Amino acid sequence: MRQLIAGNWKMNGTSASLAEIEAVCEMVAGDPPNCDVLICPPATLIAQAAWKAKGRIAIGGQNCRAEISGAFTGDISAEMLKDAGASAVIVGHSERRQYHGETDAIVGQKAKAAWRAGLTAIVCIGESEQQRLNGHALHTCGNQINESVPDGMTAAATVIAYEPIWAIGTGRTPTNGEIAEVHDHIRACLTKRFGSEGQKARILYGGSLKPSNAAEILRLSNVGGGLIGGASLKASDFGAILKASSRNP
Ligand code: PEP
């Protein structure tokens, strides 16, 4: 399975940061990695980023609203992201769940909106530190898969991102064994519910993934790539992760 390395810039970046996208595009054009490459900048930069990328890498959004249009001040629909040049959108990132009260049901509606617009939905799940300490990591992730991935999922239009909340932006990561255990469990949940589509869907790991740990994490069982926050902001770090992915089968 070809891995996907996706960068989530979060609320970082102005037009000056497009130079980082240009640098990633040049790296990819000069030495094509053996993985798919996606950068999700803030919504304000999507159109410019897509124009700069010229198809050398994919550009995505970080969130969308489920409705197509309407009186939802400040919100953006999946169709608008598509129109701006995005081919994917992250839904249900833990920061959206935490700061915007997004429930599994809302995340599921957003995933459907992404499909409706022709975007790949990157559905984020992951346990809190307390849930892990209580031994509930697998159960939490299984529930989130069941509740936030809608019926009709296809592997072409859906990517799951396993992001333990306590590993995001902290520099801490689960052990390799813990990552593999959760990814295997997610695979089993997806396969049980969606059959061969569940078997094929890519499952990304996210949470303090960086050049120094990328190679070992990206070669673990059922890890289909990475979702990268902090280390995606600099082309040199992101490029090193692309290379680490390329070296893995
Ligand atoms: C993220 O927020 O999706 C993420 C993985 O962040 P970081 O890589 O900075 O932990």
Side-chain angles (χ1 to χ4, degrees):
M1 178 193 309
R2 192 171 160 87
Q3 293 193 321
L4 168 66
I5 302 298
N8 171 17
W9 280 14
K10 311 192 187 194
M11 199 174 74
N12 295 294
T14 58
S15 49
S17 322
L18 293 167
E20 299 298 327
I21 292 198
E22 183 57 40
V24 171
C25 288
E26 278 169 17
M27 268 181 226
V28 163
D31 182 13
N34 188 22
C35 61
D36 295 332
V37 184
L38 169 74
I39 292 182
C40 301
T44 47
L45 293 179
I46 289 175
Q48 292 178 80
W51 185 82
K52 263 209 182 298
K54 294 186 177 62
R56 292 173 292 178
I57 65 167
I59 300 298
Q62 300 174 12
N63 174 46
C64 66
R65 196 179 171 94
E67 291 83 356
I68 294 178
S69 61
F72 303 109
T73 302
D75 280 333
I76 296 174
S77 71
E79 281 75 6
M80 290 169 177
L81 293 173
K82 173 91 175 172
D83 181 56
S87 57
V89 59
I90 298 168
V91 295
H93 190 283
S94 62
E95 288 153 12
R96 300 287 317 174
R97 292 177 186 258
Q98 183 181 351
Y99 303 131
H100 298 268
E102 292 188 9
T103 60
D104 285 332
I106 291 172
V107 175
Q109 286 161 12
K110 291 180 180 213
K112 279 197 207 166
W115 298 342
R116 180 189 67 215
L119 300 177
T120 298
I122 301 175
V123 182
C124 299
I125 62 166
E127 82 282 359
S128 66
E129 181 151 39
Q130 202 51 53
Q131 286 166 325
R132 174 154 289 275
L133 291 173
N134 291 345
H136 295 156
L138 297 185
H139 181 70
T140 301
C141 292
N143 271 352
Q144 287 178 324
I145 290 284
N146 286 337
E147 303 297 325
S148 40
V149 181
D151 290 341
M153 184 212 77
T154 64
T158 315
V159 172
I160 307 298
Y162 166 56
E163 300 206 302
I165 297 168
W166 53 274
I168 294 179
T170 60
R172 296 160 60 206
T173 55
T175 65
N176 291 345
E178 287 167 341
I179 294 173
E181 181 185 38
V182 177
H183 280 243
D184 288 350
H185 182 67
I186 293 170
R187 176 69 67 213
C189 294
L190 290 173
T191 304
K192 184 167 173 216
R193 188 156 156 228
F194 301 108
S196 61
E197 291 301 315
Q199 233 155 7
K200 287 185 289 187
R202 289 186 283 199
I203 306 167
L204 312 186
Y205 170 76
S208 298
L209 192 64
K210 47 187 184 264
S212 59
N213 62 16
E216 56 175 303
I217 290 176
L218 291 172
R219 77 165 69 92
L220 297 173
S221 167
N222 277 312
V223 172
L227 180 56
I228 296 121
S232 70
L233 294 171
K234 286 268 156 272
S236 51
D237 289 344
F238 194 61
I241 296 173
L242 298 182
K243 282 205 161 59
S245 167
S246 300
R247 278 200 298 272
N248 284 303

